[in-house]
Structures are given as C-alpha cells and as structure tokens.
Amino acid sequence: MGCVTAVPHPRTEAAASSPRGGRRSLAAALVLGAVGAAVALLSSRQTWSEGKASVVGGAFPLAAKGSDVTGVPAALAIVGLAALFAVFAVRRAGRVVVSLLLALSGVGIVAAALQGLNDTGALDEKAAAAAGDTSGSVEALTHTVWPYIGALGGLLLLCAGLLALVFGRGWPAMSGRYERDPSPRSRRPAKAVDPDRPEDVWKALDRGEDPTQET
C-alpha cells in the first residue's frame, strides 16, 4: 500500500496564511499612518529652536515653534492622514496613486523637519523685532529634539505608504452596499387604475401608461 502523507501543499498553506498577512499589513499601515500624522502635527506645535537677541537691557530670550519655522510638516500630515483613509475608498490604480501620495507626504515631512534644523529665519525675525533693528539676528542658537520627532512622524507615514503600495491590492475596500446593483430588477405588476380616482390616473400617467386602456 502507498504511504499517504499529511504535509499540506505549499500553495494551500500560502493561501491560508495570505488573509492573515493582509490583515497584519493593514493594521500596521493604519497604526503607523495615524501615529505618524499625529506626531508630525504635535511636533509642529512645539519649540524647535531657541536663542537670544541683544537688546538695550541685555540678552532677550527667543523661541520659535515648528509652525514658525515651516508649515510643511503640518500641512503634509493632514494630507497624509486623508490619503491613509482614502486608500480604502479607491481600488486598483486609484489605490496605487493614493498610496504613493501617502508615502510622498512622509518623505516631505522628513525633508522639511531636517531642513528646519538649519533655518534661523524665524528667530532672526523675532530678534529684529525685539531689538527694533531690521538687521538684528539671533545669538546662541540651539535646537530642541522636536524637529527630529517630526522627522520620525514623517518616517512612520512613509512606512505606511510603502505597506499600502506593497500589500494594498489585497486590502478590502469600502462597502459597496450603497452602490447601484447592475443586475436587472423584476418589475412589480402595476396596480389596476381606477378611473374614478384622479391620483391613480396621475400615477399611471407618470409611469407612461394609458389609464384609459383596460387590462
């Protein structure tokens, strides 16, 4: 007698594990995208750089928030968050485009946050206003950790976009129960028209029927 083995077929095993892998990648993309957008938005509201301006009374402390340095991270965080949820509203080529937009939003946030480390324009403007001299500039410039945290938020958005690009084809789309059913629907037989009731006559005319004909 032949020996029968119980080893599962590779294709069967891969097919069984595919839905689980799709759910994991979907959950990971949602968490990474939502956290990344939130971190980028939070970072833009925190102090990115500090310094001092020379005034008549001495050194005047100055501080600039991320939104003072650049508005790109906050704007792209909103774009990325919208793209994250739009992934489930589109299919096929549209999903690829939205996933690419999500990834590019993360790249833009990282670039803007790192570029903000070398930007002294916001503090220079505050120094000029504090000194009453347009040529005034900030001194003893230092940066906080928040630009790096903003860049981390962009990196998380980038990872979410890459997950959507790689695994997005297997993710579910929004429910189509509100979409029109293309299958033909059976028409209910029209009720008999009572010529003595004007409302029945008008309804028959709206349906394109001749109420004067007897069925």
Side-chain angles (χ1 to χ4, degrees), residues 72-73 76 103-116 147-148 150-158:
V72 173
L76 289 182
L104 290 178
S105 298
V107 173
I109 291 174
V110 173
L114 295 180
Q115 187 178 3
Y148 297 101
L152 176 61
L155 184 61
L156 295 179
L157 276 174
L158 172 59

Side-chain angles (χ1 to χ4, degrees), residues 1-5:
M1 294 179 63
C3 182
V4 179
T5 60

Side-chain angles (χ1 to χ4, degrees), residues 4-215:
V4 179
T5 60
V7 179
H9 195 276
R11 293 185 179 179
T12 304
E13 186 177 358
S17 61
S18 178
R20 181 177 298 179
R23 289 193 296 268
R24 288 179 179 177
S25 62
L26 171 61
L30 285 174
V31 172
L32 291 174
V35 173
V39 168
L41 286 172
L42 177 63
S43 172
S44 66
R45 299 179 181 179
Q46 306 302 318
T47 300
W48 279 24
S49 55
E50 297 174 337
K52 296 180 180 180
S54 298
V55 295
V56 177
F60 185 78
L62 300 172
K65 295 182 179 180
S67 57
D68 298 330
V69 177
T70 174
V72 173
L76 289 182
I78 296 175
V79 172
L81 191 61
L84 177 64
F85 291 102
V87 168
F88 306 99
V90 294
R91 301 177 182 178
R92 298 179 182 178
R95 178 166 291 184
V96 174
V97 173
V98 175
S99 301
L100 185 60
L101 177 62
L102 176 60
L104 290 178
S105 298
V107 173
I109 291 174
V110 173
L114 295 180
Q115 187 178 3
L117 292 171
N118 300 322
D119 190 351
T120 62
L123 283 179
D124 286 341
E125 291 180 1
K126 292 188 176 185
D133 185 1
T134 56
S135 61
S137 60
V138 66
E139 300 175 356
L141 176 65
T142 59
H143 291 88
T144 67
V145 72
W146 283 106
Y148 297 101
I149 295 178
L152 176 61
L155 184 61
L156 295 179
L157 276 174
L158 172 59
C159 292
L162 293 178
L163 284 174
L165 284 172
V166 176
F167 301 101
R169 293 183 178 180
W171 293 352
M174 293 179 63
S175 175
R177 63 178 180 175
Y178 296 107
E179 297 179 1
R180 185 175 180 179
D181 188 3
S183 60
R185 299 182 179 180
S186 58
R187 296 185 61 182
R188 296 181 179 179
K191 297 181 179 180
V193 179
D194 187 356
D196 296 331
R197 300 185 62 182
E199 59 271 19
D200 288 352
V201 175
W202 283 111
K203 290 180 180 179
L205 292 174
D206 289 338
R207 293 193 298 268
E209 301 174 359
D210 187 358
T212 61
Q213 293 182 356
E214 296 182 358
T215 57

